[in-house]
Amino acid sequence: MLQVTTGEAGGRSCAVARGSGMADMTLGETGRRFMGAAIRLARRHEGWTATNPSVACLIVRDGVIVGRGVTARGGRPHAEPLALEEAGELARGATAYVTLEPCAHHGRTPPCAETLIAAGVGRVDTATVDPDPRVDERGHAMIRQAGIPVEVDVEGAAAREGLAAYLVHKRTGRPFVTLKLAVSPDGLLGLAGIAQASVTGPEARAQAHLMRARHHAIMIGAGTAAADDPELTCRLAGLEDRSPLRIVIDARQSLGSASRLVASTDRVRLLVVGPPNPGLAGTGVEYIACELVDGRVALPELLDDLGARGIQSLLVEGGARLAASLLAEGLVDRLALFAGARPISLSLNAGQGIASPVRADSCPPGFRLTGEWKFGEDRLRTFEPME
Ligand code: AOF
Ligand code: ZN
């Protein structure tokens, strides 16, 4: 028999578990389940909210979700007013689950803490404190001052994982860097001279496209641009408009005007790291100046510059040299290692193998395994640096 001391609506006991069909769960467990659902909802707009984090808010009354909101494209409106709008009068006395502390500042919209208070919610659970100096516990304090109970750190670790890019960017000024590598069992990233030799199957490739959609920007070196002629867009059905900003490191002005990257600048922005290339005049390519060390782009400074432009998450897709440099310089926050099922050197006899800096079945030194998935015949493992 379930014992509930605090109900969703100012003491209406037991309603939480009855309505949600989660008898035998404690209120704390129920709260964590709703927060888990909010964290999953927030993932939908990851990479789509510009300099804002993708936050989600659920308004729960009597165990039923009556309002849902996730930070809108471009970062506004925030999650809370959207969820409250959906809930309408049902928000009165309900619990708000928010994956990040509600904001306390007057930006382009009024503070979400005030909006929650005005809506008359009976309780607010949040997953983590917002380190933005304009917020930083002020949102929680405002809500508590209005006499509304607040619980912080509900599913905090899971929420911080989802907010990692925002939190890292706030702390370091640099984007969160995910290095994606697809490695064949024979340790190759591809075959020189054979554009886009397939290491993985369609399921893993679809997942890689989803990763693109969830990042603010995607980056490759000019060598990969020349060898693979990739478009670097998200081509999943329904998510075509989620393609991130594309960045090519091209210190030697080698990017060609006929490349797919340049040909698609009318649809998706392309930023070249390097000196402006007269051959690309009028194509819509944008440039960012870079510092050179021994003729190569200084990566820490580049990350600082990208961070200063508000880029919070960066997916690096190649090539081998850029990957090796990022790893050697300790600039990788997450390694996404796709391991293909079939050796590629056997399936094609032309071309020379491009060796991966990381073997498909190994954990790079200084990293720890954080996740493992299977996509068709292929496997994806993620690694993060040890603290
Ligand atoms: C919330 N709910 O959904 C989000 C929040 O420029 P502004 O006014 O939109 O403020 C941006 C800041 O708002 C951002 O740095 C972060 O502190 C917070 N994001 N807050 O209450 C939301 N996305
Ligand atoms: Zn807000």
Side-chain angles (χ1 to χ4, degrees), residues 217-355:
I218 177 169
M219 185 166 86
I220 58 169
T224 302
D228 286 1
D229 193 20
E231 196 178 90
L232 298 184
T233 51
C234 172
R235 293 188 292 282
L236 293 176
L239 292 180
E240 295 89 348
D241 60 348
R242 296 283 295 265
S243 293
L245 168 69
R246 303 164 305 164
I247 303 173
V248 181
I249 300 182
D250 187 17
R252 294 192 194 84
Q253 301 172 305
S254 66
L255 190 63
S257 57
S259 63
R260 286 202 185 113
L261 283 166
V262 174
S264 50
T265 47
D266 54 334
R267 285 184 287 123
V268 188
R269 285 173 62 200
L270 177 64
L271 185 65
V272 168
V273 181
N277 179 349
L280 301 182
T283 56
V285 170
E286 301 164 54
Y287 293 92
I288 181 169
C290 62
E291 197 178 318
L292 295 180
V293 177
D294 299 333
R296 300 193 60 190
V297 170
L299 294 172
E301 286 73 10
L302 172 60
L303 294 181
D304 286 340
D305 290 347
L306 296 178
R309 289 181 169 228
I311 295 169
Q312 293 179 1
S313 59
L314 181 66
L315 179 67
V316 180
E317 288 205 19
R321 254 198 10 213
L322 177 57
S325 302
L326 287 166
L327 285 166
E329 294 181 51
L331 299 172
V332 175
D333 295 296
R334 182 177 292 151
L335 172 66
L337 190 64
F338 284 94
R342 291 156 208 280
I344 54 172
S345 53
L346 302 178
S347 56
L348 295 161
N349 52 21
Q352 200 193 335
I354 302 164

Side-chain angles (χ1 to χ4, degrees), residues 55-108:
V55 173
C57 173
L58 293 181
I59 307 294
V60 176
R61 189 190 174 98
D62 298 343
V64 176
I65 297 170
V66 293
R68 300 183 319 160
V70 55
T71 315
R73 181 177 195 171
R76 288 168 216 95
H78 287 184
E80 298 90 325
L82 294 169
L84 289 168
E85 192 184 332
E86 191 176 291
E89 267 308 300
L90 292 174
R92 210 155 282 284
T95 296
Y97 294 93
V98 199
T99 58
L100 181 71
E101 175 182 8
C103 66
H105 64 281
H106 283 271
R108 269 176 248 184

